[in-house]
Amino acid sequence: MSTSVDDAIKAFAPALPLAVGYSGGADSTALLLACARQWPQQVRAIHVHHGLQDCADDFVRHCESFCAQLKVPLRVLRVDARHAPGQSPEDAARNARYAAFKSALQEPWAGDDVSCIALAQHADDQVETLLLALSRGAGLPCLSAMPAHWERDGIQYHRPLLQVPGAAIRAWLEAQGVAWVTDPTNAQQQFTRNRIRAQLLPALDHAFPQFRETFARSAAHAAQAQALLGELAEQDLQNIGVPPSISRLQSLSRARQANALRHWLKTSWRTSPSAAQLEELLDQLAACRTRGHSIHIKLGSGFVRRSLEHLDWYNPRAV
């Protein structure tokens, strides 16, 4: 059910002190302001300078001014968010941000006692993520959309505004008389997410006013199903071994092979295969009946190959 910024923060119970990812945009401005009011002297801000826009330095100056007004310590981290060949710009920027967050919590300004970061994605972002996944024919991991809480690199991440619509956030800020910056790329409709925001969300709002709540329920169902698949994959990998034994993989059904391989690649190597790549690997596994059968397939950001009686994955760029 949709809620307000104030109600969302009242229901939020992070470990303190808390760091907030702060871009200067409306959503992160509302999150930072609400958290700073809720926990005075216990909130810090992290701004990631991606270096991709001419106005990025202006964003930094705005963030410095607002944090000084709130008396919130700010850490500005500059990253190289340019994408590599074959990598989406969105993935490159996301990976750069997470690396920056990890670095920020290791800096003296934060200290070892900061273990939580709050991010400002909201209900509309959740819907956009789900629709984007559907447009790409994605599986359950992506249809589960964004979790409200997860852990990465020993850091606890939270999204306390996931049930708050974007319009409610902007209305709340306007009521406070607080300004924010606007990323000019948000209006560029060559990006699928921006087209969803500009064209589909208004149509959904008109046809199905409760779509945020119903879509969130569908995403929660997908997340539950994915959790069960994760448990099954853990059980199968205990029997198959890590790295996976080819013969033990072959004893499973094709669907369970795919599930176990996805889980292995995600948990061991933080990579995900496309549907076509995984299907090709499964075909090769089915045909692998002799010692001389070679397997070498592009998969995710690297390659899967046969290593004696097991499968191995490697990234040649990391060698």
Side-chain angles (χ1 to χ4, degrees), residues 207 263 292 305 315:
H263 195 75
R305 62 186 172 187
N315 181 353

Short mmCIF file of all heavy atoms in Angstrom, two decimals, residues 207 263 292 305 315:
data_model
loop_
_atom_site.label_atom_id
_atom_site.label_comp_id
_atom_site.label_asym_id
_atom_site.label_seq_id
_atom_site.Cartn_x
_atom_site.Cartn_y
_atom_site.Cartn_z
N ALA A 207 -5.65 4.02 -16.32
CA ALA A 207 -6.43 2.78 -16.52
C ALA A 207 -6.54 1.95 -15.26
O ALA A 207 -7.57 1.32 -14.99
CB ALA A 207 -5.79 1.96 -17.64
N HIS A 263 22.80 -20.04 -10.29
CA HIS A 263 23.13 -19.74 -8.90
C HIS A 263 24.64 -19.79 -8.69
O HIS A 263 25.21 -18.92 -8.00
CB HIS A 263 22.45 -20.76 -7.99
CG HIS A 263 22.43 -20.36 -6.55
ND1 HIS A 263 21.59 -19.39 -6.06
CD2 HIS A 263 23.16 -20.79 -5.48
CE1 HIS A 263 21.79 -19.24 -4.76
NE2 HIS A 263 22.75 -20.08 -4.39
N GLY A 292 37.12 -36.36 -24.42
CA GLY A 292 37.68 -35.37 -25.34
C GLY A 292 36.74 -34.26 -25.72
O GLY A 292 37.13 -33.34 -26.47
N ARG A 305 34.22 -23.02 -19.40
CA ARG A 305 34.97 -24.03 -20.13
C ARG A 305 35.02 -25.31 -19.32
O ARG A 305 34.79 -25.31 -18.10
CB ARG A 305 36.39 -23.54 -20.39
CG ARG A 305 37.20 -23.28 -19.11
CD ARG A 305 38.54 -22.66 -19.41
NE ARG A 305 39.23 -22.24 -18.18
CZ ARG A 305 40.37 -21.55 -18.16
NH1 ARG A 305 40.93 -21.17 -19.30
NH2 ARG A 305 40.93 -21.20 -17.02
N ASN A 315 37.24 -14.87 -16.56
CA ASN A 315 37.13 -13.59 -17.26
C ASN A 315 38.52 -13.25 -17.79
O ASN A 315 39.41 -12.93 -16.98
CB ASN A 315 36.62 -12.51 -16.33
CG ASN A 315 36.46 -11.16 -17.03
OD1 ASN A 315 36.85 -11.00 -18.17
ND2 ASN A 315 35.90 -10.19 -16.32
#
